């Protein structure tokens, strides 16, 4: 558990003879079904080698058409509240000709069929729909063609005489119709077609429409099952206590006998970096493990990523801000240095943003069961089943093909369920189940989650801009200081910039002819990871607030300056005008609102994950705090699948963006996080949530992501508005650190 070596790029699912887990529920449901599937036996099916499978092409790996013509779809992507199961049903159902309401969707097991994200598989980066859209359409169309072929053979007709209506094949001339469920067996015997015709956009019935979420009813009625809800026969419950500082190991247990005598106790175990208790209920296990009096040893000298005893977040921030140099260049256009030297005016600023936790609703958990046939079965929240399968195999000392992964829907997302060795409980569950000889369900308490969560990195960025005599920017130099999560977990080259450390600063489309963006890499002592919108979550705050500083220094209106510098980019200028129109026109303020409060507005642009976003926020000051009244967001994802999901995701992103801007911050003192629960780590309360207005603009550009793009524009839009009211620039988050009393008027 203290091994912090970078995660390997696990793409293989194991050998030919390894078990491929198809969920028991799927096969129990299929007992009365006609399965559109080739040689998938009931039980554990055998996976073909990845080299023999083109991902997303084998109909049987994804679709099961039941006798009642409803469809079970195995999604390559994990549902975590982002609506991916519904989107997949819309995309596949459109071409298959099945109403999405007649789909049941579940997470697919590990296997080569599901490697749809660049030859791998990962639910994240707002990639799921945009990277599988065409493949899933073809999959649905292939299944429909197979059903038509089976119907043609049954009726003695040519395919050209047949058509489909939702869930059935129709012969219009005779009025005959055959439900899909009656054709599935015959269709399963046919070869998957290599060339199919897809529907034209004008004929779409479900793609592009606000189809209701398939999981909404179960979640609303409590029928939805998350990992912490699951049970297996004969399981013990486990709770853990981690070393307060990462790298410490359990030494003496001074009251072990006393704890062992507590009610419901089974056993006490030492684990790498932790102690654990097994009991007959989780509450008893938690009370017992928290009662254990543990002497923690100091990390050995060579322990990777051990947290220094004197580490503090404040000292680390000061070090980042004082680190000199220009770093390694990531983006260079023109002559930034030369133009800055001759500029009429120089504008300089340094910004910082803190560590953040994920703060997910569902605490981390894992169920591990060793089976009599030597296989290991895991029920674990995850965003990458194949990666978890390979890592679990190494922990267990078995072949990956002997690890069976179940992937429940997630009660928290956006990078929390990536493969971080010290931040996931499944290695502990594997060891405990092996030691006990029984299945083990492990849940981390909220306090242990806060102690071992991976953090959004702390970030610092320095900016210099040169203005000409008219107050227009002619040069910009930016340097990001810190470490990005991509380099941490996938390795970095010393002479290369980690894109996750500069995204949101690099790639801006404002017409500033001379610019340079670089990075100074500084190792972060904390265990950093991916967080919603990754580097954009802080870097767009840095860049877009500095943009307003440039505008003010040159006596330019920040909205009008953005519009001017985007004149050669119609997509972006149209989006900026769309958000202003949505807000009833641009007005910066300060101005008096109807309730008498003094308000101002701020604007920001962002280009995250293939989508484009423009944001305006309206704020006031009350009792020394920033109050956000309304947020307007115009988003251009190129093309869309479900506008209702897009709007919901933008609202969610606004909430998280506001929470991070106003309140959230992880503080380390003496190598330990000071907050161990939400009482010490406040998040946005419901009564602080503003009205959110969303406009979707379909430009027809390649499809972009949805889950993350709505967040990055929120912090800078809020800060830009607040700076108008305070009369001074704000360069550090969260805003709750600032005392703004006396600035309301």
């Amino acid at each position: 558990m203290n091994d912090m070596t970078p995660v390997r790029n696990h793409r293989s699912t194991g050998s030919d003879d390894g078990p491929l887990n198809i969920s028991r529920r799927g096969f129990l449901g299929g007992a009365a079904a006609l399965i559109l599937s080739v040689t998938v036996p009931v039980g554990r099916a055998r996976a073909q080698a990845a080299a023999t499978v083109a991902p997303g092409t084998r109909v049987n790996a994804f679709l099961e058409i039941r006798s009642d013509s409803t469809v079970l779809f195995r999604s390559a992507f994990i549902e975590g509240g982002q609506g991916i199961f519904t989107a997949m049903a819309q995309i596949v159902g459109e071409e298959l000709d099945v109403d999405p309401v007649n789909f049941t969707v579940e997470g697919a097991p590990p296997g080569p069929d599901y490697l749809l994200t660049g030859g791998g598989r990962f639910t994240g980066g707002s990639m799921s729909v945009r990277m599988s859209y065409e493949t899933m359409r073809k999959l649905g169309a292939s299944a429909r063609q197979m059903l038509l072929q089976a119907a043609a053979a049954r009726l003695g007709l040519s395919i050209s005489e047949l058509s489909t209506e939702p869930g059935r094949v129709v012969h219009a001339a005779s009025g005959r119709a055959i439900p899909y469920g009656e054709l599935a067996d015959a269709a399963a015997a046919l070869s998957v077609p290599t060339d199919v015709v897809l529907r034209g956009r004008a004929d779409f019935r479900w793609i592009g429409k606000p189809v209701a979420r398939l999981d909404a009813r179960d979640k609303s009625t409590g029928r939805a099952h998350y990992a912490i809800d699951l049970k297996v026969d004969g399981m013990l419950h486990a709770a853990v206590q981690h070393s307060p500082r990462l790298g410490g190991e359990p030494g003496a247990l001074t009251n072990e006998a006393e704890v062992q005598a507590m009610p419901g106790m089974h056993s006490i175990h030492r684990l790498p970096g932790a102690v654990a208790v097994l009991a007959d209920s989780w509450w008893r296990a938690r009370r017992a493990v928290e009662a254990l009096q543990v002497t923690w040893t100091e990390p050995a000298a060579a322990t990777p990523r051990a947290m220094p005893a004197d580490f503090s977040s404040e000292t680390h921030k000061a070090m980042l801000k004082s680190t000199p140099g220009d770093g390694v260049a990531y983006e260079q256009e023109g002559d930034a240095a030369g133009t800055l030297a001759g500029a009429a005016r120089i504008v300089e600023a340094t910004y910082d943003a803190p560590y953040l936790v994920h703060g997910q609703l569902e605490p981390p958990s894992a169920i591990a069961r060793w089976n009599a046939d030597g296989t290991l079965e895991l029920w674990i929240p995850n965003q990458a089943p194949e990666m978890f399968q390979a890592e679990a195999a190494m922990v267990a000392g078995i072949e990956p093909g002997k690890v069976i992964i179940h992937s429940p829907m997630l009660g928290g997302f956006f990078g929390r369920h990536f493969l971080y060795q010290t931040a996931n409980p499944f290695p502990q569950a594997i060891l405990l189940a092996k030691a006990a000889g029984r299945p083990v369900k492990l849940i981390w308490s909220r306090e242990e989650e806060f102690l071992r969560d991976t953090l959004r990195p702390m970030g610092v960025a320095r900016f210099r801009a040169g203005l000409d005599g008219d107050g227009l920017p002619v040069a910009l130099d930016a340097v990001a200081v810190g470490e990005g999560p991509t380099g941490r977990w996938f390795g970095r080259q010393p002479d290369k910039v980690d894109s996750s450390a500069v995204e949101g600063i690099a790639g801006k489309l404002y017409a500033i002819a001379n610019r340079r963006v670089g990075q100074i890499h500084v190792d972060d002592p904390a265990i950093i990871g991916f967080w919603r919108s990754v580097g954009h979550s802080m870097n767009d705050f840095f860049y877009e607030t500095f943009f307003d500083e440039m505008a003010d220094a040159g006596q330019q209106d920040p909205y009008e300056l953005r519009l001017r510098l985007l004149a050669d980019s119609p997509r972006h200028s149209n989006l900026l005008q769309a958000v202003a129109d949505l807000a009833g026109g641009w007005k910066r303020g300060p101005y008096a609102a109807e309730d008498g409060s003094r308000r101002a507005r701020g604007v920001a642009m962002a280009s995250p994950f293939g989508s484009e976003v423009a944001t305006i926020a309206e704020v006031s000051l009350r009792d020394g705090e920033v109050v956000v009244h309304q947020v307007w967001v115009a988003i251009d994802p190129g093309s869309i699948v479900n506008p209702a999901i897009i709007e919901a995701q933008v609202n969610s992103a606004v909430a998280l963006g506001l929470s991070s801007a106003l309140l959230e911050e992880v503080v380390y003192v003496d190598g330990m996080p000071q907050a161990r629960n939400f009482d010490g780590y406040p998040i946005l309360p419901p009564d602080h949530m503003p009205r959110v207005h969303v406009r979707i603009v379909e430009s027809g550009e390649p499809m972009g992501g949805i889950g993350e793009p709505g967040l990055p524009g929120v912090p800078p839009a809020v800060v830009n508005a607040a700076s108008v009211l305070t009369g001074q620039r704000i360069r550090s988050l969260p805003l709750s650190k600032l005392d703004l009393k006396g600035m309301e008027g």
Side-chain angles (χ1 to χ4, degrees), residues 205-219:
R205 294 151 300 176
W206 297 299
I207 292 178
K209 306 299 191 298
V211 172
R213 288 278 295 268
L214 300 185
D215 53 350
R217 179 177 292 275
D218 283 354
K219 288 180 175 178

Side-chain angles (χ1 to χ4, degrees), residues 86 155 178 192 214 237 300 367 457 519 619 630 695 703 714 724:
T86 304
L155 297 173
I178 308 175
V192 177
L214 300 185
H237 296 266
I367 297 177
Q519 181 206 5
V619 312
Q630 299 191 83
R695 177 171 294 178
M703 182 180 288
V714 175
V724 172

Side-chain angles (χ1 to χ4, degrees), residues 571-601:
R571 182 183 186 189
H572 297 83
S573 58
N574 290 342
L575 194 65
L576 186 57
Q577 293 176 80
V579 76
D581 178 68
L582 182 65
W586 166 250
K587 54 179 179 179
R588 192 184 191 194
Y591 56 87
E594 291 183 2
D595 63 358
S597 61
R598 181 173 175 264
R599 300 186 184 182
R601 293 183 180 182

Side-chain angles (χ1 to χ4, degrees), residues 258-525:
E258 177 185 335
V259 171
Q260 185 65 59
M262 293 176 70
M265 279 289 298
H266 179 275
S267 51
I268 298 171
H269 301 265
R270 286 176 169 82
L271 296 169
V275 292
V277 163
L278 297 179
D280 60 5
S281 76
W282 183 77
W283 183 246
R284 285 176 163 176
R286 178 186 176 180
R287 291 190 65 189
V289 81
E290 290 179 350
L292 273 175
Q293 296 172 8
V294 187
T295 300
W296 298 99
T297 65
E298 288 297 307
T303 303
R305 291 290 176 186
M307 178 59 77
D310 60 350
F311 174 74
S312 80
S313 48
E314 193 63 30
T315 301
H316 186 61
K317 179 172 69 175
M319 185 269 290
L320 293 179
K321 295 178 78 169
S322 64
T323 300
D326 297 323
V328 179
Y330 182 81
E331 177 181 88
Q332 292 190 91
E333 291 289 338
D335 180 11
T339 308
L340 281 164
R345 181 171 182 179
I346 299 294
V347 185
E348 297 182 88
T350 300
Y351 294 84
D352 64 82
Y355 292 120
L356 301 177
V357 297
H358 289 88
Q360 60 178 16
L361 183 62
E362 179 189 15
S365 68
I367 297 177
R369 179 174 68 192
W370 290 87
N371 297 316
D373 61 1
T375 59
L376 170 65
E377 201 158 2
L378 296 170
W379 290 259
I380 48 176
N382 71 88
Q383 293 176 239
E386 286 76 14
M387 296 175 76
F388 277 70
Q389 182 188 47
E391 190 70 18
M394 283 189 280
V395 173
I398 58 179
E399 291 297 317
K402 292 185 177 181
V403 179
I404 303 161
I405 299 285
H406 301 271
S407 302
M409 69 172 69
L410 304 174
F413 212 172
F414 297 111
R416 179 58 187 92
H417 296 295
F418 185 58
L419 187 58
Y420 316 107
Q421 287 97 330
T422 60
N424 288 300
F426 75 90
Q428 297 172 335
I430 293 171
L431 298 176
L432 291 170
K434 188 75 169 179
R438 290 175 59 180
V440 166
K441 179 179 181 178
L442 169 62
I443 301 177
W444 284 2
S445 68
R446 188 68 70 190
E447 289 74 17
E448 298 307 312
E449 157 70 343
F450 267 78
L451 187 62
R452 285 293 179 266
D453 191 5
T454 55
L455 307 179
R456 185 190 76 171
M458 178 180 286
V460 164
R462 296 195 296 264
F463 290 84
R464 296 179 70 225
L467 308 182
D468 65 14
D470 296 323
L472 298 176
V474 291
L476 184 142
D477 181 270
V479 181
V481 187
E483 183 179 4
T486 299
R488 168 69 66 93
W489 294 105
F490 291 100
R492 70 177 189 89
Q493 302 175 42
D495 59 339
K496 300 289 185 183
V497 172
D498 180 351
S499 61
S500 65
V502 295
E503 59 187 8
I505 300 175
K508 290 287 189 178
L509 293 178
Y510 299 121
I512 302 175
N514 305 283
R515 60 188 186 274
R516 180 188 185 275
V517 176
Q519 181 206 5
I520 301 173
H521 175 89
V522 178
D523 282 337
D524 198 316

Side-chain angles (χ1 to χ4, degrees), residues 105-350:
V105 186
E106 63 180 27
D113 291 280
Y114 311 111
L115 306 181
L116 298 176
T117 50
R121 180 186 184 192
F122 179 62
T123 305
S126 298
M127 295 187 294
S128 300
V129 170
R130 59 183 169 132
M131 294 194 72
S132 67
Y133 180 68
E134 292 298 328
T135 300
M136 290 298 96
R137 288 183 66 194
K138 290 176 182 177
L139 183 86
S142 296
R144 176 177 175 271
Q145 184 72 8
M146 294 163 72
L147 291 162
L148 282 167
Q149 286 180 272
R154 177 169 169 174
L155 297 173
L157 301 169
S158 68
I159 288 182
S160 62
E161 297 177 79
L162 301 175
S163 61
T164 61
E165 294 176 354
R168 61 183 190 164
V169 176
V170 175
H171 182 233
S174 66
R176 287 179 291 180
I178 308 175
Y180 281 177
E182 296 181 16
L183 297 167
D185 266 351
L190 302 174
S191 299
V192 177
T194 57
D195 189 25
V196 290
V197 177
L198 303 180
R199 291 185 183 274
R201 288 179 62 87
D203 298 324
F204 284 171
R205 294 151 300 176
W206 297 299
I207 292 178
K209 306 299 191 298
V211 172
R213 288 278 295 268
L214 300 185
D215 53 350
R217 179 177 292 275
D218 283 354
K219 288 180 175 178
S220 300
T221 57
R223 294 176 61 191
H225 287 128
Y226 297 90
I228 59 170
D229 301 317
L230 302 178
K231 301 176 182 178
V232 298
D233 291 341
M235 72 182 189
L236 291 166
H237 296 266
V240 297
Q241 179 190 158
H242 290 102
S243 168
R245 285 192 294 110
L246 188 63
E249 294 293 343
L253 306 181
T254 58
N255 63 339
E256 186 170 1
E258 177 185 335
V259 171
Q260 185 65 59
M262 293 176 70
M265 279 289 298
H266 179 275
S267 51
I268 298 171
H269 301 265
R270 286 176 169 82
L271 296 169
V275 292
V277 163
L278 297 179
D280 60 5
S281 76
W282 183 77
W283 183 246
R284 285 176 163 176
R286 178 186 176 180
R287 291 190 65 189
V289 81
E290 290 179 350
L292 273 175
Q293 296 172 8
V294 187
T295 300
W296 298 99
T297 65
E298 288 297 307
T303 303
R305 291 290 176 186
M307 178 59 77
D310 60 350
F311 174 74
S312 80
S313 48
E314 193 63 30
T315 301
H316 186 61
K317 179 172 69 175
M319 185 269 290
L320 293 179
K321 295 178 78 169
S322 64
T323 300
D326 297 323
V328 179
Y330 182 81
E331 177 181 88
Q332 292 190 91
E333 291 289 338
D335 180 11
T339 308
L340 281 164
R345 181 171 182 179
I346 299 294
V347 185
E348 297 182 88
T350 300

